[in-house]
Amino acid sequence: MSEVITGTPFLELDGVAIGFGPEKTRTDILRDVNLEVGENEFVAIIGFSGSGKSTLVSLLAGLERPTEGEVRMEGVEVTRPGPRRGVMFQSYSLLPWLSVFGNIELAVKQVFPSFSSAEVRKHVDRYIEMVNLTDACDKAPHELSGGMRQRVSLARTLAMQPDVLLLDEPLSALDALTRAVLQDEILQIWEKEKKTVVLITNDVDEAILLADRIIPLTMGPEATLADAFPVDLKRPRDRRTLTDQPAYQRLKAEITSYLVGLNKEARKLRSKTLVAMPEVKPRDFKLPSMMPGR
Amino acid sequence: MEIKYRLLKVIDTAGLSFLSPVVRLAAGEEPRKQLKDIGRWIIVPVFAMVLFGVLWSIIAPRHKTKSGEVPTPAVVLEAWDGISRFHDNESAKEEGFQLTGDSRLAELKQAVARLSEVESLEVAANQRLKEVRESTDTEKLKIIAPFKSAYDAKSNEYRDYRKSSAARLKELGGTLLEKGESERLAYLADMRAVEVKTEELKAERDALKVELEAAEEQTFPDLKEALKASTLLGEEKQFLIKYIDLVGESSREFKLAAAQETLKSSRQEFLTSTEGDLYKLCGNVIKNEKFTETIGTSQYAKPWTLPKQIVRSLFCVFTGFLLASIIAIPIGILCGLSNTFMAAMTPFIALFKPVSPLVWLPIVMIIVGGFMPDPDNHWLIVALAKVPILKEYKIDPMFLSSAITVALCSLWATLVNTALGVGSIDKDHLNVARVLRLGFFARLFKIIIPTALPLIFAGLRISLGVGWMVLVAAEILSTSEGIGKFVNDMYTNGSAESFAQIFVVVFIVGFIGMVLDRIMVFLQRLVSFDTSPAL
């Protein structure tokens, strides 16, 4: 660890390993992962796809239990998921039969059962406004663009008022322009609300723009966290001026070359142990169309 | 434009998308493409139906059965007319029976006027029938004459030859006793030749007979027309006579007045009598009071018409469908939630799903019969007989048996689809539920059931279709009232007209099934949150 955190870390992974299969022939996805996140710190974890980033989020959220080691929050072991660790999923995971308002309302009602219906409405409206979706309040998810859906997902997660935000590649399914807009929004919201955030990403620019600390995840299987790159750029950050700073360029070059090195190493490894891919077919119930205009 | 899109959406939701090119064309959108679509989705199907009708009209009369010719579309339409006329007449009688006061008298007057009109028309029609019959009879004789004479000639030739040969051979046989073997062998050959010739003549005669019969069967459109007109008028006359009776002296009001009169006089007698048997007189009053009450609530005993049978069949299929849904949806949800439960249910689903309704029905009938040894006094039948609309449709154990059979055959589609819908829930949605720490019931009603709803409705749609198909068979076998009973009656009846009426039922059953299916598609669309088409 390049940065020393004083006191009990807010969120902590201690010697965590997770694997699948029977104990003797277990394949570890993550092994010997140690991470300490301080309160109100913004940590970005960067890695290639398939390296186990989503599994890491599941572990932090409590959706999965580690095979070895412990996940702790404020020194207490995390055994199950809960609203204190709000997760924003890559696939939005909005409920398609509920409107924007309904999706957020469901979460708010569950997390704040003591709210009156007027309070619920006020609370939901506040977060819809925060992500600039007031006009689309009554639309169904399938009527929204990808970026708008992810905004709803963000609003839902924020509306739960979690102590930790776990963002699992929230922007990787979006186009570059939408992504930039949402990055700015996340940045603004974070600078206002100051929350502990763990962001999973595969975008170096995004990580530098948002995070206090960037930790690369080595290639799986048996991936682990490498040494962190501290981001000492001044806040508030602005993407237009940021890229001109030599510190930014230096950091980006360092991280990129480190990641490229990882990739080469991994390729060498992979050629020896070729893992058979599962035979997966798309599941699609749609029948061929028999009516016009389809 | 706003209207166009709203219309298109309604059309799409209702599953009537063949109409969408018409709407688009009316809005002036890409006329060429819309015309092409109209051609394909409206004109081609109509053309195919017309072609089907033409082929049917050509092929049907060539097939003779013991119930007469296979009916042509025209005959089926006539049968449809007959069925609806019967229904209209019976409904009119039912209403007429209950009329009171001035409206009854007005109706009576009108019916009497119509009767005299019909009677004079009938006389004219019969006269015309007689004339046509005479003229066609002579014409027929003319047509038949050559066939008949040919047949008669051949028939005589056959008979004469057989007689004369037999006489000749008998006589020859008498002289053969003192002859030797060669003569006897010649006699044998002679007799064989006679045998062959007799057979030949018989075959020729039979062939001529078939020709003669074909000529005799030739129909004359004029005669048919006159016969039909006369029959229709006769039918109407019969109806009017009965109707006048029901509106007149047999009407409820009339009978009630008479009964009240009797009651009044018996009361009077009881109250004022000085010498009679007061016990008996008082009993009379009570008896007359009861009788008056019975008359006051009496109804015309309307026979089962096809529309009534259809409504009963619909009640029956929806009862079965409801039963199937109540059983299948919860079990399906449990199957989807728990793999263990699914494993436990799999053998039953696999084993019972293919069982035919014709096997379930006897079992169900025996079990229902076992529960209701005295159906008329069973609490369920008594309770159902009090439900306002249902009570007119004779809810009996057979109704329940048919409904349960429908349920047993149709629940599988809903069960399997519900299990599939619940089982294929998005893992991310479940993760959301876990992060929110939703309880079991909140998870069930807020996440699981909404996800599974489109597939549940797809299952319900299949179930209703299967149920409707099964129902008619169940009704035929259980002799329960309903469409099946109507078909069975027509089949047993076996006349040419009832043959055509069964064809009418084919189209009615098909049409109702289609409407039910469309309704289910509509409901399925309403609960579907994605925009994928359901067909």
Side-chain angles (χ1 to χ4, degrees):
Chain A
M1 290 287 137
S2 60
E3 193 176 330
V4 179
I5 296 165
T6 51
T8 326
F10 194 69
L11 189 64
E12 184 181 11
L13 290 176
D14 184 8
V16 162
I18 185 164
F20 295 103
E23 204 155 339
K24 277 182 188 163
T25 57
R26 199 179 74 197
T27 323
D28 279 347
I29 296 173
L30 297 173
R31 179 176 286 178
D32 196 24
V33 177
N34 292 292
L35 173 69
E36 292 181 353
V37 183
E39 191 161 8
N40 295 343
E41 190 186 10
F42 198 130
V43 172
I45 290 170
I46 192 161
F48 291 98
S49 44
S51 54
K53 290 182 307 225
S54 291
T55 313
L56 196 63
V57 170
S58 295
L59 283 170
L60 286 168
L63 288 165
E64 279 178 54
R65 299 288 307 276
T67 339
E68 279 170 31
E70 247 180 37
V71 181
R72 282 191 291 271
M73 185 170 172
E74 294 180 310
V76 182
E77 192 184 356
V78 170
T79 52
R80 60 174 185 145
R84 285 193 66 201
R85 292 174 301 281
V87 191
M88 190 169 155
F89 297 96
Q90 185 182 354
S91 58
Y92 324 129
S93 61
L94 300 173
L95 304 177
W97 54 89
L98 293 179
S99 66
V100 169
F101 187 88
N103 265 288
I104 300 168
E105 186 193 28
L106 176 72
V108 172
K109 273 188 174 166
Q110 182 66 22
V111 179
F112 305 103
S114 58
F115 274 18
S116 71
S117 56
E119 280 173 317
V120 169
R121 170 154 276 280
K122 210 177 130 202
H123 191 87
V124 174
D125 283 341
R126 195 183 126 212
Y127 283 94
I128 290 180
E129 203 192 323
M130 191 182 283
V131 294
N132 302 322
L133 274 180
T134 310
D135 291 340
C137 179
D138 294 319
K139 289 222 160 78
H142 70 83
E143 294 173 300
L144 304 177
S145 68
M148 288 164 99
R149 286 184 212 185
Q150 199 53 285
R151 281 203 183 113
V152 181
S153 184
L154 178 65
R156 180 175 63 185
T157 314
L158 289 173
M160 287 155 59
Q161 298 193 328
D163 298 323
V164 180
L165 264 178
L166 303 169
L167 310 179
D168 181 8
E169 298 198 53
L171 310 178
S172 59
L174 305 177
D175 63 277
L177 287 173
T178 317
R179 199 189 301 183
V181 173
L182 268 170
Q183 279 165 1
D184 288 345
E185 276 180 21
I186 290 175
L187 192 62
Q188 270 173 26
I189 292 169
W190 183 77
E191 275 165 6
K192 223 171 9 187
E193 303 250 312
K194 282 291 175 194
K195 277 202 159 53
T196 311
V197 179
V198 178
L199 167 75
I200 305 280
T201 183
N202 53 17
D203 182 343
V204 180
D205 292 312
E206 182 175 295
I208 299 173
L209 177 68
L210 298 174
D212 296 325
R213 205 150 47 106
I214 299 173
I215 309 173
L217 188 66
T218 62
M219 297 296 285
E222 299 179 13
T224 188
L225 291 175
D227 285 344
F229 293 87
V231 185
D232 297 326
L233 298 164
K234 245 194 356 245
R235 290 185 189 270
R237 294 173 190 163
D238 185 336
R239 77 164 61 244
R240 281 161 300 182
T241 55
L242 199 65
T243 45
D244 298 335
Q245 296 179 28
Y248 171 89
Q249 288 160 359
R250 204 169 44 244
L251 192 59
K252 185 175 175 183
E254 268 178 47
I255 296 172
T256 311
S257 68
Y258 179 79
L259 289 173
V260 170
L262 271 183
N263 199 17
K264 273 184 191 152
E265 224 173 278
R267 270 205 205 121
K268 262 187 259 160
L269 270 175
R270 223 181 256 172
S271 61
K272 279 179 212 156
T273 54
L274 195 69
V275 183
M277 296 304 283
E279 198 181 322
V280 181
K281 284 179 183 163
R283 188 164 62 185
D284 196 344
F285 299 112
K286 274 176 204 164
L287 292 166
S289 170
M290 281 172 63
M291 284 283 165
R294 297 258 164 81
Chain B
M1 279 306 107
E2 185 61 26
I3 295 171
K4 183 183 97 176
Y5 286 114
R6 203 170 290 171
L7 251 168
L8 284 176
K9 196 163 181 211
V10 169
I11 283 172
D12 191 51
T13 314
L16 300 171
S17 42
F18 66 92
L19 287 176
S20 65
V22 179
V23 174
R24 286 177 197 277
L25 185 68
E29 183 188 316
E30 292 180 284
R32 278 180 71 93
K33 186 177 175 292
Q34 305 315 331
L35 283 175
K36 209 174 139 195
D37 274 353
I38 289 175
R40 180 175 300 153
W41 298 108
I42 296 176
I43 297 181
V44 169
V46 168
F47 178 73
M49 273 156 66
V50 170
L51 189 70
F52 170 73
V54 169
L55 283 176
W56 178 8
S57 308
I58 295 170
I59 293 169
R62 290 161 199 265
H63 292 270
K64 311 251 187 286
T65 68
K66 64 178 182 216
S67 306
E69 283 172 6
V70 174
T72 59
V75 177
V76 172
L77 272 179
E78 255 170 48
W80 163 257
D81 275 349
I83 288 172
S84 52
R85 210 165 42 240
F86 179 63
H87 174 71
D88 291 346
N89 287 348
E90 290 303 325
S91 300
K93 283 184 200 167
E94 189 184 27
E95 277 167 33
F97 178 73
Q98 294 174 23
L99 284 177
T100 55
D102 288 343
S103 59
R104 181 173 74 85
L105 294 175
E107 194 67 22
L108 183 63
K109 203 172 145 197
Q110 209 180 341
V112 171
R114 176 70 188 154
L115 180 61
S116 66
E117 201 179 322
V118 167
E119 270 168 345
S120 62
L121 282 172
E122 198 200 9
V123 170
N126 283 344
Q127 182 60 32
R128 158 112 180 110
L129 177 62
K130 206 173 146 200
E131 282 163 19
V132 173
R133 190 167 269 156
E134 271 163 15
S135 77
T136 50
D137 276 353
T138 51
E139 205 178 325
K140 201 169 180 179
L141 279 178
K142 237 186 274 169
I143 295 171
I144 290 172
F147 292 102
K148 189 152 176 59
S149 62
Y151 169 72
D152 286 345
K154 191 52 86 179
S155 187
N156 285 336
E157 189 190 342
Y158 164 70
R159 208 174 42 242
D160 291 349
Y161 178 78
R162 219 178 50 176
K163 251 186 214 159
S164 65
S165 318
R168 185 175 60 82
L169 286 171
K170 207 167 190 178
E171 200 188 306
L172 202 58
T175 65
L176 222 55
L177 273 173
E178 57 258 29
K179 296 286 170 54
E181 195 181 309
S182 63
E183 277 85 358
R184 291 189 186 200
L185 280 175
Y187 182 72
L188 183 60
D190 194 2
M191 195 183 254
R192 272 201 196 117
V194 165
E195 197 67 40
V196 170
K197 175 85 176 164
T198 314
E199 289 293 323
E200 267 172 26
L201 283 172
K202 194 176 168 216
E204 279 169 29
R205 185 202 63 173
D206 288 349
L208 284 171
K209 189 174 180 193
V210 171
E211 273 178 39
L212 174 64
E213 276 171 358
E216 274 175 342
E217 257 182 31
Q218 192 169 10
T219 49
F220 297 87
D222 277 358
L223 180 63
K224 223 175 172 179
E225 202 90 321
L227 198 62
K228 193 177 148 195
S230 158
T231 318
L232 278 180
L233 284 166
E235 229 176 62
E236 191 175 354
K237 191 174 111 183
Q238 288 304 318
F239 160 69
L240 282 168
I241 289 169
K242 179 79 187 160
Y243 184 67
I244 287 166
D245 182 43
L246 278 171
V247 181
E249 287 177 17
S250 293
S251 76
R252 185 156 84 189
E253 189 186 35
F254 199 89
K255 283 205 276 189
L256 190 59
Q260 275 162 346
E261 196 54 47
T262 323
L263 174 62
K264 209 170 144 193
S265 66
S266 69
R267 250 178 92 91
Q268 195 61 36
E269 199 183 350
F270 168 65
L271 289 175
T272 57
S273 175
T274 49
E275 59 211 45
D277 180 357
L278 282 184
Y279 173 76
K280 202 176 146 196
L281 287 175
C282 186
N284 273 347
V285 174
I286 301 284
K287 204 172 77 190
N288 283 327
E289 272 173 357
K290 271 189 188 162
F291 181 66
T292 313
E293 201 181 319
T294 317
I295 294 281
T297 56
S298 64
Q299 294 282 341
Y300 168 65
K302 189 183 173 187
W304 285 84
T305 58
L306 185 58
K308 197 179 172 188
Q309 308 267 37
I310 291 171
V311 174
R312 188 180 136 115
S313 283
L314 283 171
F315 273 130
C316 194
V317 85
F318 276 107
T319 308
F321 178 61
L322 200 70
L323 216 59
S325 310
I326 289 170
I327 297 168
I329 295 176
I331 294 183
I333 289 173
L334 285 177
C335 281
L337 287 179
S338 153
N339 284 333
T340 315
F341 193 75
M342 183 69 173
M345 289 306 293
T346 302
F348 297 104
I349 296 172
L351 194 64
F352 293 140
K353 195 169 70 172
V355 175
S356 156
L358 304 182
V359 184
W360 284 124
L361 186 73
I363 297 174
V364 175
M365 285 206 292
I366 292 167
I367 293 174
V368 170
F371 274 108
M372 300 181 178
D374 179 18
D376 291 340
N377 293 318
H378 192 271
W379 62 268
L380 185 60
I381 302 291
V382 172
L384 285 172
K386 282 181 186 146
V387 181
I389 296 165
L390 220 54
K391 67 182 176 194
E392 288 166 31
Y393 290 93
K394 198 180 154 200
I395 308 303
D396 53 7
M398 290 306 154
F399 177 91
L400 296 176
S401 304
S402 306
I404 294 171
T405 306
V406 165
L408 281 174
C409 291
S410 66
L411 64 87
W412 309 106
T414 303
L415 202 163
V416 172
N417 267 32
T418 306
L420 182 66
V422 172
S424 63
I425 181 167
D426 197 333
K427 196 159 174 285
D428 283 342
H429 292 163
L430 281 182
N431 278 342
V432 171
R434 287 177 65 198
V435 170
L436 289 174
R437 290 199 180 154
L438 290 180
F440 173 76
F441 284 103
R443 198 179 296 195
L444 187 65
F445 288 109
K446 288 189 173 152
I447 311 273
I448 294 170
I449 291 181
T451 309
L453 219 48
L455 267 174
I456 292 177
F457 268 82
L460 288 175
R461 179 186 167 200
I462 301 171
S463 282
L464 190 57
V466 169
W468 184 241
M469 225 156 62
V470 162
L471 180 72
V472 178
E475 281 174 347
I476 289 183
L477 197 68
S478 70
T479 63
S480 166
E481 291 291 347
I483 297 176
K485 174 81 179 312
F486 183 84
V487 172
N488 201 24
D489 286 352
M490 292 304 115
Y491 177 70
T492 327
N493 188 347
S495 77
E497 196 183 309
S498 41
F499 194 13
Q501 286 179 343
I502 298 178
F503 273 77
V504 173
V505 171
V506 169
F507 287 100
I508 289 176
V509 169
F511 181 76
I512 292 173
M514 188 180 81
V515 170
L516 293 180
D517 192 60
R518 288 287 104 180
I519 291 172
M520 290 311 289
V521 170
F522 178 70
L523 292 178
Q524 196 183 339
R525 289 284 179 84
L526 281 189
V527 299
S528 288
F529 35 81
D530 59 354
T531 47
S532 69
L535 274 174

